[in-house]
């Protein structure tokens, strides 16, 4: 009689659980990307601009830099190779959409005809910079209850002095 080859039930259950958890993780990562991309691309679409695409290389850089700021939560730019928007909010529970909304809220401060800001508008102009194509963002909770830090990186960068964003 030939030996029976059966897979123990516990192995099937373990494999099924692993696949289920992996699917949840992938879905959460996808949603995280959409939570950043959606409001960026809504602002761009309002001007007839091409949508940004999520880029894992750019996102890895954003995550690296967010991790550097986790200890102090300071709004200090990385001086890296990408355009960059920074956000800080006190406490926890901030969403990607809230961070992007804060940047988009600068829109009324930008005057296209004079290509100037009446106050702060550089976050908004980076979002709608015509030549930017790729986006990567990261969010961390800062140590010692210092708040939430968000960074979005844009490739290619924008906000060149004297140039209109679109």
């Amino acid at each position: 009689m030939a030996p029976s080859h059966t897979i123990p039930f516990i192995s099937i259950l373990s494999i099924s659980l692993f696949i289920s958890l992996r699917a949840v993780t992938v879905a959460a990562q996808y949603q995280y990307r959409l939570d950043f991309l959606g409001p960026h691309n809504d602002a761009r679409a309002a001007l007839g601009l091409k949508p940004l695409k999520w880029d894992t290389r750019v996102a890895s850089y954003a995550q690296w830099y967010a991790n550097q700021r986790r200890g102090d939560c300071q709004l200090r730019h990385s001086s890296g190779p990408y355009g960059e928007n920074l956000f800080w909010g006190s406490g926890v529970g901030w969403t990607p959409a809230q961070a992007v909304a804060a940047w988009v809220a600068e829109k009324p401060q930008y005057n296209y005809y004079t290509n100037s800001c009446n106050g702060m508008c550089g976050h908004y102009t980076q979002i709608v910079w015509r030549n930017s194509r790729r986006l990567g963002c990261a969010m961390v909770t800062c140590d010692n209850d210092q708040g939430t830090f968000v960074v979005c990186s844009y490739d290619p960068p924008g906000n060149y002095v004297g140039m209109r964003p679109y």
Side-chain angles (χ1 to χ4, degrees):
M1 182 171 242
S4 173
H5 295 289
T6 60
I7 299 173
F9 177 73
I10 194 73
S11 294
I12 293 172
L13 186 60
S14 296
I15 292 169
S16 178
L17 181 60
F18 173 78
I19 291 171
S20 295
L21 290 174
R22 178 71 178 138
V24 167
T25 301
V26 169
Q29 289 172 349
Y30 181 72
Q31 187 60 52
Y32 181 75
R33 293 173 182 182
L34 289 180
D35 290 346
F36 278 112
L37 274 171
H40 273 88
N41 287 334
D42 289 346
R44 293 173 68 84
L47 298 170
L49 300 171
K50 291 181 180 179
L52 296 170
K53 304 252 189 244
W54 191 264
D55 185 283
T56 55
R57 178 179 46 89
V58 178
S60 292
Y61 180 83
Q63 186 65 61
W64 170 83
Y65 189 64
N67 290 338
Q68 303 307 303
R69 297 273 60 95
R70 186 186 304 267
D72 60 21
C73 224
Q74 290 185 8
L75 293 173
R76 183 181 311 147
H77 285 281
S78 70
S79 300
Y82 304 114
E84 194 169 77
N85 279 346
L86 304 177
F87 171 89
W88 173 83
S90 64
V92 295
W94 291 93
T95 66
Q98 289 171 315
V100 179
W103 300 327
V104 172
E106 297 175 0
K107 179 180 181 178
Q109 306 304 315
Y110 178 65
N111 184 321
Y112 179 82
Y113 299 104
T114 62
N115 192 33
S116 64
C117 293
N118 181 20
M120 186 181 296
C121 71
H123 300 101
Y124 170 72
T125 56
Q126 176 58 80
I127 288 172
V128 297
W129 196 263
R130 175 188 294 118
N131 295 331
S132 292
R133 294 285 177 258
R134 290 165 294 281
L135 175 70
C137 301
M139 176 183 289
V140 297
T141 300
C142 298
D143 297 343
N144 302 318
D145 298 321
Q146 294 180 72
T148 301
F149 181 87
V150 179
V151 56
C152 283
S153 299
Y154 304 82
D155 186 41
N159 282 343
Y160 293 106
V161 174
M163 294 180 64
R164 283 188 167 77
Y166 52 90

